[in-house]
Amino acid sequence: MANQLDELNPEIREEGLDTNVIVKKLPAEVGIGSKIFEVLLWLCGIIPGVIFLFMKISAQKHFDQLQQKIQRNASQIDNYLEQRVVVLQNCARLLDKAIDLDKSTFENIAKYRSGKVSDAERVEFGAEIDTVSRSISVAIESYPDLQAHKEIADAMQQNMYLQREITAARELYNDTINEWNKDVFAWPTKMIVAAKNGYTTRI
């Protein structure tokens, strides 16, 4: 039989393909067959019934632990997002300071370089240059984070690091959700427990 999908002669879709998440929760439901199955286990003897009862207790414990793991993974994403917001806010403040300093410095430098000044104005500009130079030194002393904009570069590095951590945390969260979605339909034990508790798939 030939392969149903042909990877050697593919249909190329130039516009690409947008894949979206389907926001729909599927409930775990069991029919009359599952109830008959449980009754038959008890009719076969007390041992199969008790064993299945312990299996259901174990399945309930598994779902409880999985829900805690989902909460922990979601909380980790929130923590990284909060850190990223703080880093970006700090970066914005640093950029504002750096832009103000650069703007005033370059405006004065351009004015002094224009050459369209008289001797008297040149003397006055010389004094102003000294003032600007002192103000730059004071600004750098007051805001050492403006030196070569190293702090801004560091903040952007932190931002990129946190973005990678958020992506990894989301992957971990999605893996746990995938495990949950698979287990709510694992018949008989887990599916019966999931249906009894009204569990649904998660997005």
Side-chain angles (χ1 to χ4, degrees), residues 26-30 184-185 190-196 198-201:
L26 304 175
E29 297 172 341
V30 291
V184 293
F185 294 117
K190 290 177 182 172
M191 191 170 179
I192 289 171
V193 169
K196 179 185 172 188
Y199 294 155
T200 65
T201 57

Side-chain angles (χ1 to χ4, degrees), residues 55-119:
M55 288 173 67
K56 288 200 300 185
I57 292 170
S58 176
Q60 181 62 58
K61 184 179 175 185
H62 170 74
F63 280 123
D64 291 343
Q65 290 173 343
L66 209 52
Q67 288 192 80
Q68 292 302 314
K69 188 177 178 185
I70 288 169
Q71 288 299 316
R72 187 176 69 246
N73 292 346
S75 176
Q76 192 173 18
I77 294 170
D78 289 345
N79 288 340
Y80 284 129
L81 286 171
E82 187 177 346
Q83 289 177 41
R84 190 166 179 229
V85 166
V86 170
V87 166
L88 290 175
Q89 285 173 341
N90 291 341
C91 189
R93 282 195 290 270
L94 289 169
L95 281 170
D96 286 343
K97 292 176 190 173
I99 288 168
D100 289 344
L101 179 64
D102 287 348
K103 184 179 175 186
S104 62
T105 302
F106 287 122
E107 279 178 358
N108 287 329
I109 288 171
K111 188 173 20 172
Y112 305 142
R113 279 182 165 174
S114 67
K116 298 178 182 174
V117 289
S118 66
D119 289 339

Side-chain angles (χ1 to χ4, degrees), residues 80-199:
Y80 284 129
L81 286 171
E82 187 177 346
Q83 289 177 41
R84 190 166 179 229
V85 166
V86 170
V87 166
L88 290 175
Q89 285 173 341
N90 291 341
C91 189
R93 282 195 290 270
L94 289 169
L95 281 170
D96 286 343
K97 292 176 190 173
I99 288 168
D100 289 344
L101 179 64
D102 287 348
K103 184 179 175 186
S104 62
T105 302
F106 287 122
E107 279 178 358
N108 287 329
I109 288 171
K111 188 173 20 172
Y112 305 142
R113 279 182 165 174
S114 67
K116 298 178 182 174
V117 289
S118 66
D119 289 339
E121 289 174 323
R122 193 167 277 115
V123 172
E124 187 182 334
F125 284 162
E128 285 182 26
I129 288 172
D130 290 339
T131 305
V132 169
S133 176
R134 279 193 301 276
S135 68
I136 289 172
S137 297
V138 169
I140 288 174
E141 286 169 12
S142 302
Y143 304 107
D145 48 11
L146 293 179
Q147 291 180 352
H149 302 301
K150 183 179 179 301
E151 288 292 324
I152 295 170
D154 288 346
M156 295 313 293
Q157 282 291 105
Q158 283 181 317
N159 177 53
M160 287 181 351
Y161 167 77
L162 288 170
Q163 181 56 50
R164 286 194 296 270
E165 290 297 319
I166 290 166
T167 301
R170 282 180 172 154
E171 286 290 331
L172 192 61
Y173 175 82
N174 286 338
D175 287 344
T176 310
I177 292 295
N178 185 49
E179 185 181 353
W180 172 275
N181 290 344
K182 183 182 65 174
D183 286 348
V184 293
F185 294 117
W187 193 85
T189 317
K190 290 177 182 172
M191 191 170 179
I192 289 171
V193 169
K196 179 185 172 188
N197 289 309
Y199 294 155

